[in-house]
Amino acid sequence: MSTSDRLDATFAALADPTRRAILARLAKGDATVMDLAKPFSMSQPAISKHLKVLEQAGLISRGSDAQRRPRRIEAKPLGEANEWLENYRKFWEGRYQQLDALLDELKLSKQTKTKRAKRPRS
């Protein structure tokens, strides 16, 4: 899967609030499907469908612990998404710095004009 495909899958998976809530729960530690289904008012098969989307995106993996199959969060896809977003954060930070410089320049210009207007004419 290419980086672009992984980003598509990651953002598509993150578009759903239930899946984001599942990831938030898994960030605290591994959990079974039953554990993950508890806070939601939906059936276990519905939760399993969300888990499948998260697994296909590589955001979670299934472990093996005796009879249990706990899910765990996988950091790599979220790291790639964060890296992609970081480029845009830097872009907007640069734009805000330019806007701050322009506002400072306008403020200084206005102060200079006010001082000149208050000077007594000779």
Side-chain angles (χ1 to χ4, degrees):
M1 189 185 286
S2 72
T3 302
S4 180
D5 291 340
R6 284 194 306 269
L7 281 175
D8 289 349
T10 297
F11 285 116
L14 294 175
D16 185 274
T18 301
R19 292 192 285 265
R20 291 193 303 271
I22 290 171
L23 285 176
R25 166 58 187 85
L26 289 173
K28 296 176 184 173
D30 297 358
T32 63
V33 175
M34 294 297 286
D35 295 335
L36 294 170
K38 283 180 189 170
F40 301 103
S41 58
M42 61 179 67
S43 66
Q44 188 176 337
I47 292 295
S48 292
K49 286 182 182 178
H50 284 296
L51 293 175
K52 187 174 181 180
V53 172
L54 291 168
E55 285 176 9
Q56 288 173 342
L59 292 164
I60 65 172
S61 62
R62 189 182 318 190
S64 178
D65 180 20
Q67 299 292 325
R68 301 176 50 218
R69 300 283 181 255
R71 272 32 176 221
R72 69 178 49 103
I73 196 165
E74 295 294 335
K76 186 177 177 184
L78 288 174
E80 290 175 347
N82 185 52
E83 186 177 311
W84 185 83
L85 290 169
E86 181 66 18
N87 292 326
Y88 291 97
R89 188 195 64 75
K90 288 176 184 175
F91 168 78
W92 286 111
E93 184 176 295
R95 291 295 177 116
Y96 285 127
Q97 287 175 352
Q98 288 175 339
L99 181 60
D100 283 344
L102 179 62
L103 291 172
D104 288 345
E105 187 178 309
L106 290 171
K107 191 184 297 183
L108 184 62
S109 175
K110 185 177 179 180
Q111 288 172 350
T112 303
K113 286 180 182 176
T114 302
K115 285 181 183 176
R116 285 185 189 157
K118 289 184 179 179
R119 279 189 200 159
R121 296 184 180 176
S122 51

